Amino acid sequence: MSRFLKKQYQNLEPYTPGEQPKNQKLIKLNTNENPFGPSPRAAAVISSGEVSKLMLYPDPEASELTTAIAQYYNLEKEQVAVGNGSDEILAFSFMAYASEGSNIWFPDPSYGFYKVYADIYRSKAGPIPLTEDLRIDPKKYKNLNGTILIANPNAPTGIALNLNDIEDIIASNSSNLVIIDEAYIDFGAKSCVPFLQKYDNLLVIQTFSKSRSLAGARVGFAMGSKELISDLNRIKFSFNPYNLNRLSISAAAAAIRDEAYFQQTRQTIIKTRETFTKQLKELGFTVLPSSANFVFAKSSRLSGEEYFHGLRERNILVRYFGKEPISDYVRITIGREEDMEQLIFATKELLGKGN
Ligand code: PMP
C-alpha cells in the first residue's frame, strides 16, 4: 500500500476470485464456468471481420447486443443496459442506488462481491442471515427500508426462491428498488423478467458468463424500466462509455441468437447435475437442492477443508469458503460428465471406499 492511498480504501477487503490455475492438467470446477465452449456462431463472428476493426472504438451503446437481448426477452431496447460482466452492472447499481450511506439489504452468505461493493461505495449494508438450512427466508425481505439485492438462485447454495415469494418481496417494497441477480437462472429456476411488465421497482441482472459460455468475454446486462436503465447508462457514460469491447459485443449478440446451442448445453449441464447429485448423496453427502450450474455439498465423514485439499491433491479444483456457517461445505461446478466421474472416483478414494 502506498502512502498516497486514500484512508477510506486502506481497510478495503477486496473480493477474492476463485483460482485461475496455469496448470492445464487440473479439472477446474471452482468458478462456475461452463465446460462447453461458446456457441460456434460466437466464434465465427469474431474471426469473420470483427478483429480487423479493432482500430475503431466499439459502439458505446452496444446497440447490436442490447437489441438482441431485448428481442430475446420481449423488451424494448431501452430496457436493457450492458456491462463488463454483471459485476460491472452490480457496481453501477451500487453507485446509482446504494452508495454513500444508503441502505442495501442482501442475504448472507451470498455472492461475496455484494459486501465488497457495499464497502467501496460506502453503503450501509444489511446482511440478512440465511435460515439454519441455508435458505433465504422471504419474510425477512418484506417492507424494508433501502435497496434489496437477492441472487436467485442464491450463491453459493444454488437454492432458488419461487416466483410467488419474489413477487411478494417486490410488491411489499414498492418504495424500494429490488434487484434480482439471475446469474444462474438458466439452470433451473424461473426468471422474474415477466414482472417487469408490472413493477417499476424491479431490476433484473443476468450474465453471459455461465449459461452462454462467455465468462472470458465479460458481458453482463440489466433489464428494467426505461428510467432505471437510463440511470445505469448515466453512470456508465460518466465512468467508461466503451465498457464492452467490439469482440464481446458481437460474440454475445451471436450467442444469444443461437437458441439451439444454448438449450442443448444447459440441458446437458442440468442432467449431469442431477446424476452427480445422486452419486454424491449415495456417498453420504448432504447436497443442497441446486438450480444452478454448481452444487453445494458437505460430507458426513470429511471436513470441507479436508475434502477440498484431498481433491486438489488429485488435480481437481473446487471452491472452499472456510467461513461460518458454510465451512463444512464445498462448492462444485458442474463440468463435463467425465469430469464429474473423475471427481466421484477421487471422492471414493478419499472416503476409503475404493471402487
Ligand atoms: N452474480 C453472481 C451471483 C455470481 O456468482 C457471479 C459470478 N461469480 C456474478 C454475479 C458475476 O459474474 P460476471 O461478472 O462474470 O457476469
Side-chain angles (χ1 to χ4, degrees):
M1 192 184 306
S2 84
R3 62 201 158 93
F4 304 108
L5 184 66
K6 288 193 63 152
K7 200 154 181 264
Q8 73 208 59
Y9 299 129
Q10 290 178 5
N11 292 322
L12 194 65
E13 209 179 295
Y15 177 69
T16 315
E19 185 182 346
Q20 298 295 341
K22 305 281 176 295
N23 175 1
Q24 299 297 318
K25 276 201 322 229
L26 280 177
I27 297 179
K28 190 174 179 309
L29 303 174
N30 67 331
T31 49
N32 300 340
E33 288 139 329
N34 196 311
F36 304 108
S39 153
R41 292 200 205 168
V45 289
I46 288 181
S47 47
S48 69
E50 213 44 43
V51 171
S52 66
K53 295 190 201 135
L54 280 178
M55 69 290 196
L56 302 173
Y57 283 105
D59 170 11
E61 283 165 7
S63 290
E64 183 195 357
L65 179 55
T66 50
T67 304
I69 296 169
Q71 268 170 2
Y72 189 84
Y73 280 107
N74 235 337
L75 299 169
E76 292 184 53
K77 180 170 162 285
E78 295 74 23
Q79 291 185 273
V80 180
V82 291
N84 196 285
S86 53
D87 282 338
E88 191 182 53
I89 293 284
L90 284 165
F92 291 163
S93 307
F94 270 82
M95 279 188 238
Y97 307 113
S99 55
E100 306 302 330
S102 333
N103 292 338
I104 184 152
W105 305 93
F106 48 79
D108 180 35
S110 188
Y111 180 35
F113 229 134
Y114 299 162
K115 166 82 172 58
V116 179
Y117 284 136
D119 285 348
I120 195 165
Y121 294 116
R122 296 192 271 194
S123 328
K124 232 191 255 161
I128 301 181
L130 299 182
T131 59
E132 222 161 273
D133 56 352
L134 300 178
R135 289 174 180 273
I136 289 174
D137 179 356
K139 289 195 295 297
K140 294 187 182 161
Y141 294 79
K142 304 254 174 83
N143 302 306
L144 291 175
N145 169 18
T147 302
I148 294 158
L149 170 57
I150 298 177
N152 190 48
N154 194 22
T157 61
I159 300 176
L161 279 175
N162 67 48
L163 281 187
N164 285 342
D165 286 334
I166 295 189
E167 183 164 17
D168 285 349
I169 293 171
I170 301 167
S172 78
N173 283 286
S174 55
S175 313
N176 301 317
L177 179 63
V178 178
I179 304 174
I180 306 291
D181 176 351
E182 296 191 335
Y184 301 102
I185 198 71
D186 296 321
F187 300 106
K190 283 221 161 66
S191 171
C192 62
V193 167
F195 292 150
L196 292 174
Q197 310 296 342
K198 208 162 148 193
Y199 299 99
D200 69 353
N201 61 323
L202 169 66
L203 187 72
V204 184
I205 298 181
Q206 291 194 7
T207 179
F208 280 76
S209 295
K210 316 291 176 184
S211 56
R212 310 272 173 188
S213 294
L214 284 171
R218 311 303 303 124
V219 184
F221 56 104
M223 295 171 280
S225 69
K226 291 182 184 176
E227 290 76 13
L228 288 172
I229 295 306
S230 112
D231 298 342
L232 295 180
N233 281 326
R234 179 184 289 262
I235 303 280
K236 160 182 149 151
F237 280 88
S238 309
F239 183 81
N240 181 10
Y242 303 116
N243 59 342
L244 251 68
N245 67 71
R246 299 187 79 92
L247 305 184
S248 296
I249 292 171
S250 303
I256 202 164
R257 290 194 203 105
D258 194 347
E259 182 66 10
Y261 186 80
F262 167 72
Q263 291 298 349
Q264 182 210 322
T265 45
R266 85 183 177 109
Q267 294 299 349
T268 305
I269 289 167
I270 292 170
K271 194 162 149 260
T272 307
R273 180 186 70 211
E274 296 313 304
T275 312
F276 175 66
T277 300
K278 195 162 157 273
Q279 290 170 320
L280 269 189
K281 283 184 176 170
E282 281 164 10
L283 292 174
F285 279 72
T286 302
V287 187
L288 301 187
S290 172
S291 300
N293 67 337
F294 56 83
V295 296
F296 207 45
K298 70 173 175 182
S299 162
S300 52
R301 295 189 20 220
L302 298 164
S303 74
E305 198 173 5
E306 279 168 333
Y307 188 42
F308 168 78
H309 287 298
L311 290 176
R312 175 83 212 209
E313 281 159 16
R314 287 159 180 78
N315 284 330
I316 301 172
L317 196 51
V318 298
R319 191 85 195 256
Y320 174 62
F321 294 95
K323 59 170 189 184
E324 290 311 322
I326 53 172
S327 60
D328 293 337
Y329 284 83
V330 300
R331 192 193 67 192
I332 305 167
T333 302
I334 302 300
R336 291 169 187 271
E337 223 172 284
E338 55 270 30
D339 300 332
M340 307 326 281
E341 276 164 17
Q342 290 231 36
L343 192 145
I344 291 290
F345 182 85
T347 305
K348 284 182 181 165
E349 245 182 34
L350 285 164
L351 293 170
K353 291 206 171 176
N355 265 289

